Amino acid sequence: MTKYRLEYIWLDGYQPVPNLRGKTKIVESISPPSLSEIPQWNFDGSSTQQAEGKFSDCLLKPVALYPDASRTNGLLVMCEVLNPDGTPHPSNSRATILDDPDAWFGFEQEYFLYYDGRPLGFPEKGYPGPQGTYYTGVGYKNVGNIARNIVEEHLDLCLAAGINHEGINAEVAMGQWEFQIFGKGSAKAADDVWIARYLLMRLCEKYHVDVELHCKPIRGDWNGSGMHTNFSTKFMREVGGKDYFERLMAAFEKYRDEHIAVYGPDNELRLTGLHETQSIDKFSYGLADRGASIRVPHSFISNGYRGYLEDRRPNSQADPYQVASRILKTISLVPTA
Ligand code: ADP
Ligand code: MN
Ligand code: MN
Ligand code: MN
């Protein structure tokens, strides 16, 4: 028998964005347990803003499983939070996602690495040189000295976990980075983003570095962080068409406020119309337009209005479950003919 270290991971009840939580259960088994063999568990919801002290148990329902390369016989268990009666807890945004195995999402997660209260590579006082050479840059003056270690170790951990990473790059501001995750199924990419965030935050502990997900941590002429969300359904990929596309964009315009409400806090600081964004109170779409709310890739038009679209508004701190949930809800309201 082997003792497996199962890290149960869930989202707490904090507003406006949840925090990641995790605790370890040791389970003895002859071989690594599969998802269906992993037991439900519970936690004290009164310590996570998910319950009152008198009636504090919340349930953890395992929903996705990943190998944990940083631990011997380790597994990461992504969980949904349930009420004691087994219904989804109000904080359980994953349970609100319309199930569509043919929905595909690609999230581009941008973030800052912070050391000693400032982005990695920023001098103790003042600012480094202006933005220009940091994006996809190389060399000490562009990326500093430990960021690359963190980013590479994180990539190793994510690939070992089976997360569908598509790529990584240094971003426009000093200390700012991005990873892209693609997944088929309405919750798959969002599960992967949460686990990738977890692995990054846990990895950074030993470097005394924090992961700053706020969408505009430095005011002034420094890029904010987004989580561009690329999405497609089977209908969009295989049928699509100009009329359907225009109906879809009309629905996105109509539900602009509902989308912005779940696209991350303080987004008005980032969606200003500058730094490759559309302003928060406008909705627009455009071919290859990085200043639009929704960017339409060239391939979409050349394939007869078929393929995926990029919603550029979600920010780095948004909950990908809520983002995917809202996008699929709006799509579901648009007639296909
Ligand atoms: P950019 O930085 O130019 O916006 P990226 O290459 O960083 O582009 O991101 C594009 C994203 O689009 C990738 O994460 C990819 O997973 C995603 N994507 C590609 N095809 C599809 C599709 N058919 N449906 C949903 N997402 C897709
Ligand atoms: Mn990108
Ligand atoms: Mn980017
Ligand atoms: Mn993008």
Side-chain angles (χ1 to χ4, degrees), residues 43-301:
F43 68 95
D44 166 18
S46 71
S47 300
T48 60
Q49 302 199 356
Q50 282 162 310
E52 300 293 329
K54 277 183 286 211
F55 194 61
S56 66
D57 266 11
C58 291
L59 301 179
L60 291 172
K61 176 192 169 192
V63 291
L65 189 61
Y66 302 82
D68 185 353
S70 63
R71 261 176 159 179
T72 308
N73 299 315
L75 290 166
L76 304 164
V77 187
M78 191 66 198
C79 296
E80 283 188 20
V81 176
L82 306 181
N83 295 309
D85 67 1
T87 56
H89 188 272
S91 65
N92 182 347
S93 50
R94 190 180 187 277
T96 70
I97 303 175
L98 292 170
D99 187 32
D100 176 0
D102 294 316
W104 298 355
F105 284 97
F107 294 103
E108 303 170 50
Q109 171 78 67
E110 294 176 338
Y111 61 95
F112 278 85
L113 294 173
Y114 259 58
Y115 179 76
D116 215 9
R118 58 184 190 274
L120 258 186
F122 268 50
E124 220 176 298
K125 290 206 175 69
Y127 296 89
Q131 293 186 159
T133 56
Y134 306 128
Y135 171 74
T136 58
V138 63
Y140 173 69
K141 72 175 185 304
N142 286 318
V143 297
N145 61 343
I146 53 170
R148 187 88 62 188
N149 296 1
I150 293 174
V151 166
E152 291 297 322
E153 270 182 66
H154 180 239
L155 181 60
D156 288 344
L157 289 171
C158 287
L159 293 178
I163 290 175
N164 244 318
H165 257 53
E166 291 214 311
I168 58 173
N169 61 271
E171 266 302 335
V172 175
M174 175 133 217
Q176 191 185 29
W177 294 81
E178 168 177 314
F179 56 81
Q180 303 107 31
I181 288 179
F182 175 76
K184 296 182 176 180
S186 34
K188 171 66 177 147
D191 284 336
D192 284 7
V193 167
W194 275 118
I195 293 293
R197 286 179 180 177
Y198 176 87
L199 288 171
L200 182 61
M201 291 164 85
R202 195 181 65 180
L203 168 68
C204 282
E205 292 166 0
K206 71 176 177 198
Y207 291 100
H208 302 209
V209 163
D210 265 311
V211 181
E212 178 57 71
L213 288 181
H214 190 271
C215 70
K216 190 74 181 177
I218 341 157
R219 303 294 170 95
D221 216 2
W222 294 91
N223 271 39
S225 299
M227 188 174 63
H228 295 168
T229 301
N230 304 273
F231 62 93
S232 64
T233 58
K234 192 172 197 303
F235 189 85
M236 287 169 66
R237 293 189 301 271
E238 295 180 4
V239 184
K242 193 161 190 254
D243 288 350
Y244 177 73
F245 168 72
E246 282 169 359
R247 286 199 299 279
L248 189 62
M249 290 302 94
F252 270 77
E253 179 150 32
K254 179 172 175 196
Y255 295 106
R256 189 195 68 201
D257 293 349
E258 288 81 355
H259 280 257
I260 292 294
V262 297
Y263 281 2
D266 304 325
N267 221 358
E268 68 284 353
L269 300 174
R270 164 180 165 263
L271 298 179
T272 56
L274 301 171
H275 301 110
E276 303 175 33
T277 68
Q278 173 57 285
S279 92
I280 194 164
D281 51 10
K282 296 208 178 83
F283 177 83
S284 65
Y285 58 88
L287 176 64
D289 183 356
R290 289 169 189 272
S293 314
I294 294 204
R295 176 170 69 95
V296 183
H298 280 292
S299 61
F300 189 87
I301 308 288

Side-chain angles (χ1 to χ4, degrees), residues 307-325:
Y308 74 96
L309 298 168
E310 178 190 47
D311 194 332
R312 300 176 60 79
R313 298 169 296 171
N315 78 31
S316 44
Q317 219 176 5
D319 168 5
Y321 291 143
Q322 293 180 48
V323 174
S325 178

Side-chain angles (χ1 to χ4, degrees), residues 17-32:
V17 280
N19 301 291
L20 284 158
R21 305 279 180 145
K23 62 174 183 163
T24 308
K25 187 180 188 65
I26 309 296
V27 167
E28 252 190 303
S29 171
I30 299 165
S31 54

